[in-house]
Amino acid sequence: MAKSEEQKEQKEQKAAPAQEQDVTEQTMVMAPVADPSGTSDSPDGEGTAPAAKEEKTKKKKKKQTIYTIKLIPDDNGDTKSIRLPARVLKFGIASVAAGALLFVGAFSYSVYSTFANQNGASEIRELREVNNIQQEQLLQLSKKANALQDEIDQLTQLESDLRRMSGAGPAQDDGSGDGSGLTNDGTSGKHDGQGGPYAQQPSLDNVSEALDNVEKDIEKRRASLLELQEQLKAQQESMGTPGMVSLPGSLVGSTVSVTTPTGWPARGEVSSPYGLRWNGSDFHPGIDIANDMGTPIVATADGTVTTAGWNAGGYGNMVDIDHGNGITTRYGHAMQVVVSAGQHVRRGQIIAYMGSTGFSTGPHVHYEVRVNGQAVNPVSYL
């Protein structure tokens, strides 16, 4: 009995290791199971890989959020849905914001430009109005200067009549300051041709010069009248006989240099003086000497012809002569020119014949004296 029990125990002990070996092998074959917390008892950590992948997939799905926009019509029609990913929606909102900023900037610039243009146009209108007012004032001033010159001419004519009636000697300036009323051929009122360049608007310089001439003429008339008064007093005291009066315009016997314009370029009468004329609406840069068509026109000094022919500025057939030292003379409205450019002429030489070409109302010669290119009153050279 005792042996049989010992044999049983030995068999059981032999069987026990065999069972334990079977259990161990079974455990090795089983796949590891991951616990809910994402950890595993496996020592190498291989059981965590599928769980980590699933977690990453879920996170990616959460990042790709999609927004749905539903369009519901008022007539109970079909509802339309627009699905937009978050990225597209953000990009659209950013684009709309950028477009709005650009629109606001463009609108602001447009408004600013409009106001700036309006202000500029307003300033231009104001400047034009001021300019028109100044031009009107300048025209009125030129008309007053012209009226004063006319009154001086009347006083000059009255003085001339008194001298002739009383037998007193002629005035020292041999006529008016601007040359109006002068004649060198014994005629009076027979010729009235006028002209020059095309009508020029009076400028500040022109009006100032005209006023200066008026002031000088007033001084001359005052001095001349005082002289006449003394002559009349002396005449009454002595009852003397007045001397002979020589006519102006002589081209001989002058002691002035032959290169200085001296004398008259043609016989005739001054039909339009130097300065403002036609009620102050035009500035005349020379004097007009009127006579019959074909009257000879002569050079008033030695010089070289620089221009001989047609002028499109209103002078018609014109001759310019350079006398040196910055002095030139001009002869306009000729019927015919008989000299050519580059030709040397002498004082008293015929250079053209009087006509009515260009801006002209009748046969005459428009005579100018220019010093350094600036027209001056030719009367002082007659």
Side-chain angles (χ1 to χ4, degrees), residues 44-45 65 104 131 197 265 275 284 297 334 363:
D44 57 358
T65 305
V104 171
N131 184 55
H284 193 220
I297 301 172

Side-chain angles (χ1 to χ4, degrees), residues 208-371:
S208 299
E209 184 180 359
L211 291 174
D212 291 341
N213 290 335
V214 169
E215 186 178 2
K216 293 177 182 178
D217 289 343
I218 290 175
E219 294 297 327
K220 289 180 181 180
R221 295 278 68 75
R222 182 183 291 109
S224 182
L225 288 172
L226 291 174
E227 180 190 0
L228 176 61
Q229 184 182 21
E230 294 297 328
Q231 288 183 7
L232 291 176
K233 286 181 180 180
Q235 185 180 18
Q236 289 177 355
E237 293 175 357
S238 62
M239 298 298 292
T241 303
M244 296 297 292
V245 178
S246 60
L247 292 174
S250 175
L251 299 177
V252 295
S254 175
T255 60
V256 182
S257 172
V258 292
T259 58
T260 301
T262 306
W264 293 63
R267 292 285 178 176
E269 56 192 82
V270 176
S271 56
S272 181
Y274 171 87
L276 297 172
R277 62 177 179 176
W278 300 339
N279 200 22
S281 62
D282 174 54
F283 181 80
H284 193 220
I287 61 173
D288 292 338
I289 303 172
N291 208 331
D292 294 330
M293 186 77 72
T295 299
I297 301 172
V298 300
T300 56
D302 295 358
T304 302
V305 178
T306 57
T307 303
W310 181 261
N311 174 270
Y315 290 97
N317 291 325
M318 180 188 77
V319 176
D320 281 353
I321 301 177
D322 183 3
H323 305 286
N325 298 321
I327 300 176
T328 60
T329 53
R330 174 169 292 181
Y331 314 79
H333 310 296
M335 176 184 68
Q336 181 183 2
V337 174
V338 295
V339 293
S340 58
Q343 180 179 346
H344 184 76
V345 295
R346 304 295 299 272
R347 173 186 290 168
Q349 179 179 341
I350 295 176
I351 58 175
Y353 292 95
M354 192 176 295
S356 184
T357 57
F359 184 62
S360 173
T361 62
H364 73 285
V365 58
H366 171 85
Y367 178 58
E368 289 184 18
V369 177
R370 292 178 173 265
V371 178

Side-chain angles (χ1 to χ4, degrees), residues 9 144 206 307 332:
E9 287 177 0
K144 290 182 180 180
N206 298 151
T307 303

Side-chain angles (χ1 to χ4, degrees), residues 81-92:
S81 299
I82 300 175
R83 295 171 59 84
L84 296 174
R87 292 182 180 178
V88 176
L89 187 61
K90 290 179 180 179
F91 179 76

